[in-house]
Amino acid sequence: MQFTQEDRVYMARAIELAKKGRYTTTPNPNVGCVLVKSGEIVGEGFHQKAGQSHAEVNAIAMAGEKAKGATAYVTLEPCSHFGLTPPCAEGLKKAGIIKVISAMVDPNPKVSGKGLAILNEAGVETAHGLLEKEAIDLNPGFLTRMKTGKPFVTCKLASSLDGKTALKNGQSKWITGSKARQDVQNLRAQNCAILTGADTVILDNAKMNVRYEELMKTEFTELNLNSDQLRQPIRIVIDSQNRLTPDLEFFKISSPIIILTTKLDKSSQWPHFVTQMLVPERDGKIDLSVALTKLASHNINNLFLEAGHTLSGKFSELDLVDQYIFYIAPKLMGDCSKGLVNLPEFTNMMQVNELTFLEVTMIGEDIRIIASPKKTN
């Protein structure tokens, strides 16, 4: 099907609507929908939270009787199955929609194409592929989990200009400025879960939570989210040797925590929101690949890795990172300071990890670099 410029405009609007759910829809994908009739937008909506109405339902509710005879522009193929809500394909059919254009088909192999098939069988004209790349960019975690059975892993790293993360004595507060730290809070809030290691929790007494008071100074406030929509990402900590104790600050915030371990710790009285998850060993440590698969089975799409140079290095070494976000401060910390990632010694330049820069942005006085591992043929 040949798409018109008007089609592109309406789908672009649906994509912008979908972005409004980026802090709240987990584990569901971000989806937007626009209903158009006689060249006029008669209804629009986005999916706000799992268990609540999908984008199509919200758009139909806004349009009312005007939905009959309209064209729907949806960023993701309308669902075809009963979950927490009824299938949207049936809802569009009952509302009298005559054409549905989806940016992409559902990546879930169990349901892919079935929503469009339901509509076709009912005589509704369908098409897909309009602004597909932009739609894919809305939900990298959901798509990755559907295709690979693992979450999309973003590794966040902060360093001085000479690649150092802490002084020799361990001091690291603060390498980057307040704007960069606000930006990190924004990213934490958009992820399903935050992963760190026991060393970070113990040595830094880190909480690893979203500090929403810092987000109030960003574009986050434009969404006008209710207090019940604000959530703490699941906090996950790798503790293969059971060194963590309930008295740490990490456990004083009442939000879901998963401890990844090779042996259950039955000696400690963990709070009710703490779950211990058994993961097999690999080379004496937790098998990180298996851990990711287990986390994906718990509907974790986007995993934000904030850890020390050892754990970050291991994820890199095993090619388990999908995206890197570097914050680089205009500081020089010297040779004796701690490095960025701990990787095995390379003896040939062909062995080094190569990245592709996707974005370079000034955040306050610091530089933020978004990069992805370079694809090898």
Side-chain angles (χ1 to χ4, degrees):
M1 177 180 177
Q2 291 291 326
F3 298 114
T4 68
Q5 183 57 32
E6 283 189 345
D7 290 331
R8 295 178 185 278
V9 169
Y10 296 134
M11 187 62 79
R13 173 59 183 165
I15 287 171
E16 287 305 307
L17 287 168
K19 292 177 182 178
K20 293 186 176 184
R22 63 190 182 276
Y23 296 100
T24 58
T25 61
T26 182
N28 288 358
N30 301 314
V31 181
C33 178
V34 171
L35 303 184
V36 178
K37 186 175 183 180
S38 301
E40 175 190 359
I41 294 178
V42 295
E44 60 181 31
F46 66 96
H47 183 41
Q48 296 182 353
K49 192 174 182 180
Q52 295 182 1
S53 300
H54 288 191
E56 298 94 323
V57 174
N58 290 329
I60 291 169
M62 177 179 175
E65 290 298 319
K66 292 182 179 179
K68 189 173 184 180
T71 295
Y73 295 84
V74 193
T75 58
L76 182 68
E77 176 187 2
C79 60
S80 58
H81 59 287
F82 281 90
L84 296 175
T85 58
C88 290
E90 294 289 347
L92 290 166
K93 183 175 71 175
K94 291 178 181 178
I97 301 297
I98 60 172
K99 181 190 289 188
V100 174
I101 299 176
S102 64
M104 60 180 293
V105 297
D106 193 318
N108 187 341
K110 295 181 180 180
V111 298
S112 181
K114 292 183 179 179
L116 295 177
I118 289 172
L119 293 165
N120 282 329
E121 290 169 5
V124 179
E125 184 181 353
T126 66
H128 63 85
L130 176 59
L131 300 187
E132 184 176 39
K133 181 184 181 302
E134 291 84 347
I136 288 172
D137 290 343
L138 284 172
N139 298 295
F142 180 73
L143 270 64
T144 297
R145 181 167 66 87
M146 289 295 105
K147 292 178 180 178
T148 71
K150 289 182 170 64
F152 184 92
V153 177
T154 298
C155 180
K156 169 252 162 180
L157 297 161
S159 75
S160 60
L161 193 58
D162 53 347
K164 304 300 180 180
T165 60
L167 299 177
K168 186 178 180 180
N169 62 11
Q171 288 187 33
S172 61
K173 294 183 179 179
W174 293 105
I175 293 175
T176 55
S178 60
K179 292 291 185 183
R181 297 198 296 275
Q182 279 181 17
D183 199 56
V184 171
Q185 295 302 310
N186 196 312
L187 293 171
R188 283 183 180 181
Q190 293 183 54
N191 278 267
C192 302
I194 300 167
L195 174 64
T196 193
D199 280 343
T200 297
V201 173
I202 294 170
L203 298 177
D204 297 344
N205 208 8
K207 297 178 181 178
M208 306 304 295
N209 63 315
V210 177
R211 298 189 291 272
Y212 278 104
E213 66 275 9
E214 293 185 23
L215 284 185
M216 297 309 167
K217 304 172 185 176
T218 70
E219 73 276 5
F220 175 85
T221 56
E222 298 173 5
L223 298 175
N224 296 318
L225 296 176
N226 299 323
S227 58
D228 65 331
Q229 292 177 298
L230 302 180
R231 61 175 184 88
Q232 287 293 338
I234 299 170
R235 290 173 294 147
I236 304 167
V237 58
I238 294 177
D239 184 23
S240 57
Q241 300 176 32
N242 292 333
R243 293 182 293 146
L244 297 173
T245 54
D247 59 305
L248 291 162
E249 289 295 318
F250 188 79
F251 300 101
K252 293 182 180 178
I253 296 172
S254 181
S255 67
I257 290 174
I258 296 175
I259 299 175
L260 300 177
T261 183
T262 57
K263 185 178 180 180
L264 292 180
D265 177 13
K266 298 180 180 179
S267 63
S268 299
Q269 295 297 315
W270 296 109
H272 66 90
F273 50 83
V274 175
T275 301
Q276 293 184 81
M277 183 182 292
L278 277 175
V279 182
E281 289 187 11
R282 177 177 177 177
D283 300 326
K285 300 288 185 180
I286 276 181
D287 189 319
L288 296 177
S289 182
V290 173
L292 291 181
T293 301
K294 281 180 168 284
L295 293 174
S297 71
H298 283 67
N299 294 328
I300 292 176
N301 298 323
N302 299 288
L303 184 64
F304 199 55
L305 174 62
E306 286 193 78
H309 65 287
T310 299
L311 184 55
S312 296
K314 199 63 180 177
F315 266 84
S316 298
E317 180 186 345
L318 296 175
D319 196 25
L320 296 176
V321 177
D322 297 291
Q323 178 178 264
Y324 292 88
I325 298 183
F326 301 94
Y327 292 90
I328 302 176
K331 297 173 183 176
L332 300 173
M333 294 172 61
D335 286 346
C336 293
S337 298
K338 297 181 181 181
L340 193 61
V341 288
N342 186 5
L343 290 169
E345 182 180 357
F346 299 127
T347 58
N348 189 305
M349 283 301 293
M350 297 295 291
Q351 299 173 311
V352 305
N353 293 21
E354 290 194 59
L355 308 178
T356 298
F357 286 168
L358 305 177
E359 178 187 307
V360 180
T361 308
M362 291 295 299
I363 305 291
E365 296 182 347
D366 305 311
I367 296 174
R368 184 186 68 193
I369 299 175
I370 301 177
S372 62
K374 205 164 193 178
K375 303 297 181 184
T376 55
N377 297 325

